[in-house]
């Protein structure tokens, strides 16, 4: 059974000072990685990652997750390699197929069926591995060769087939989890599920039953790789309270009418209770689902922080 790792993400940058203090506070709590999503209107991933690493001593930094459709392999390889070098090898790369249609429309990128988006993501992963592992950069940088400059390659060599930083692939659909099972060092199970038949971007929080089925599906496709994979869960809600059931009833009535109170209490995508109860929930969910890498949304940074010490 893997040791726990903990992450938090960023949705905004209020000011340079606030950003630095949040990063350092996260490090003091014991978080392992600061993660940045890839959404329009949110901070740009790579500058944010480098700044977070620069503000801290040991905090790793990553994307959760990049929208593969936004990126060209060569341009992304440059971003990843640069960030990994500037952070001293602290980068983790999370990739997904993209799910918000309005972002594709706003960026002028064609919206394709899900299978096609996953195919694009998989091709990107394979091309990144080829670029990181091959001589392309050295061969195509005559100025660097002339001056004897170092090749632009990642510091880390654990992901992408042993040629780049650790790779996380996140999602919930069959095709993206098949790709994750084949390529990823970390498989991320997202907490929100697209409602079948509804417009793209219409989500519902998943139940424990759905999470178990998705993990089992990915494990089956990973085969012998399954034991080496780290399993990440993106927690959608954290609430510290002495009365779990009352909180779950209120949350169900306000936001999750399609769930029973028992389902709200049981889903791995919500953590409700005292700090001690939440720590126990995470131990049980690591045992049940394999989730040892736990990410909470940035607004829950402080609420969740004291749980980390209980689990160390």
């Amino acid at each position: 059974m893997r040791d726990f790792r903990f992450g938090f993400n960023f949705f905004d940058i209020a000011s340079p000072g606030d950003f630095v203090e949040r990063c350092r506070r996260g490090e003091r709590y014991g978080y392992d990685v600061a993660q940045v999503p890839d959404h329009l209107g949110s901070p740009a991933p790579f500058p944010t990652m480098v700044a977070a690493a620069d503000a801290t001593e040991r905090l790793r930094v990553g994307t959760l997750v990049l929208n593969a459709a936004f990126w060209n392999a060569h341009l992304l390889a440059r971003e990843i390699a640069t960030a990994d070098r500037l952070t001293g090898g602290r980068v983790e790369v999370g990739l997904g197929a993209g799910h918000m249609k309005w972002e594709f429309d706003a960026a002028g990128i064609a919206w394709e069926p899900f299978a096609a988006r996953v195919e694009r993501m998989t091709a990107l992963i394979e091309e990144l591995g080829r670029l990181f592992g091959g001589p392309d950069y050295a061969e195509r940088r005559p100025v660097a060769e002339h001056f004897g400059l170092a090749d632009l390659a990642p510091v880390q060599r654990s992901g992408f087939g042993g040629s780049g930083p650790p790779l996380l692939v996140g999602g919930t659909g069959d095709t993206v989890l098949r790709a994750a099972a084949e390529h990823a060092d970390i498989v991320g199970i997202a907490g929100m599920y697209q409602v079948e038949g509804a417009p793209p971007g219409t989500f519902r929080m998943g139940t424990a039953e759905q999470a178990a089925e998705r993990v089992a599906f990915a494990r089956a496709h990973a085969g012998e790789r399954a034991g080496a994979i780290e399993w990440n869960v993106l927690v959608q809600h954290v609430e510290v309270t002495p009365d779990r059931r009352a909180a779950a009833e209120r949350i169900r009535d306000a936001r999750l009418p399609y769930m029973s109170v028992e389902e709200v209490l049981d889903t791995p995508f919500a953590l409700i209770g005292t700090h001690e109860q939440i720590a126990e929930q995470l131990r049980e969910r690591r045992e049940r689902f394999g989730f040892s890498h736990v990410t909470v949304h940035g607004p829950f940074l402080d609420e969740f922080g004291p749980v980390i010490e209980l689990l160390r």
Side-chain angles (χ1 to χ4, degrees):
M1 188 176 296
R2 284 180 177 267
D3 291 337
F4 281 110
R5 286 206 306 145
F6 301 99
F8 66 95
N9 63 17
F10 290 99
F11 290 116
D12 70 328
I13 300 174
S15 69
D18 175 78
F19 176 81
V20 167
E21 175 53 29
R22 267 193 286 170
C23 293
R24 292 176 178 171
R25 203 160 68 246
E27 186 170 53
R28 289 195 296 270
Y29 279 129
Y31 285 94
D32 298 281
V33 56
Q35 295 162 303
V36 190
D38 188 16
H39 291 296
L40 300 185
S42 294
F46 289 98
T48 305
M49 290 160 57
V50 171
D54 191 52
T56 56
E57 294 182 2
R58 60 157 189 85
L59 200 65
R60 293 180 65 80
V61 292
T63 56
L64 192 68
V65 289
L66 295 177
N67 182 341
F70 287 179
W71 296 92
N72 165 282
H74 278 270
L75 299 181
L76 181 55
R78 181 178 64 176
E79 295 285 341
I80 292 170
T82 301
D84 203 43
R85 284 187 171 272
L86 288 175
T87 63
R90 290 152 71 181
V91 163
E92 299 179 9
V93 180
L95 280 170
H99 59 265
M100 301 297 286
K101 183 177 183 299
W102 78 265
E103 294 183 328
F104 284 71
D105 295 340
I109 298 171
W111 174 258
E112 299 176 307
F114 183 64
R117 301 200 310 275
V118 174
E119 185 177 344
R120 179 189 297 273
M121 180 197 73
T122 303
L124 180 63
I125 291 169
E126 293 171 348
E127 180 67 2
L128 286 170
R130 189 185 71 78
L131 292 173
F132 291 149
D136 287 38
Y137 288 116
E139 290 179 352
R140 299 180 186 184
R141 296 172 69 219
V143 174
E145 184 178 357
H146 175 76
F147 289 105
L149 304 179
D151 185 27
L152 181 63
V155 174
Q156 301 176 90
R157 296 288 177 171
S158 59
F160 295 93
S163 62
L167 171 64
L168 181 155
V169 174
T172 57
D174 286 0
T175 50
V176 75
L177 288 179
R178 286 193 195 99
E182 181 179 354
H183 296 284
D185 306 291
I186 308 163
V187 174
I189 305 295
M192 303 302 285
Y193 290 64
Q194 169 68 38
V195 177
E196 189 173 353
T202 306
F203 298 110
R204 286 183 175 179
M205 186 186 291
T207 64
E209 182 180 4
Q210 287 174 307
E213 188 277 329
R214 292 289 77 193
V215 170
F217 178 90
R219 283 187 181 278
H221 284 275
E224 294 181 356
R225 294 190 70 243
I229 290 172
E230 185 178 37
W231 299 86
N232 170 266
V233 58
L234 178 57
V235 175
Q236 302 295 319
H237 184 79
V238 179
E239 185 163 338
V240 177
T241 173
D243 192 336
R244 295 187 70 228
R245 179 162 291 274
E249 289 175 351
R250 177 177 44 76
I251 294 166
R252 189 275 311 273
D253 293 343
R255 296 171 50 196
L256 307 172
Y258 47 87
M259 281 191 182
S260 69
V261 172
E262 292 302 326
E263 286 176 325
V264 174
L265 289 170
D266 198 37
T267 177
F269 306 118
L271 296 169
I272 305 168
T274 64
H275 289 128
E276 290 76 13
Q277 287 173 327
I278 289 173
E280 187 54 39
Q281 290 164 46
L282 288 172
R283 292 188 188 98
E284 186 273 334
R285 290 165 187 178
R286 179 175 61 175
E287 179 73 25
R288 187 176 8 159
F289 305 105
F291 293 140
S292 60
H293 184 351
V294 180
T295 300
V296 300
H297 287 309
F300 302 120
L301 171 77
D302 295 301
E303 199 154 7
F304 181 79
V307 175
I308 296 175
E309 185 175 357
L310 297 175
L311 291 167
R312 296 298 191 198

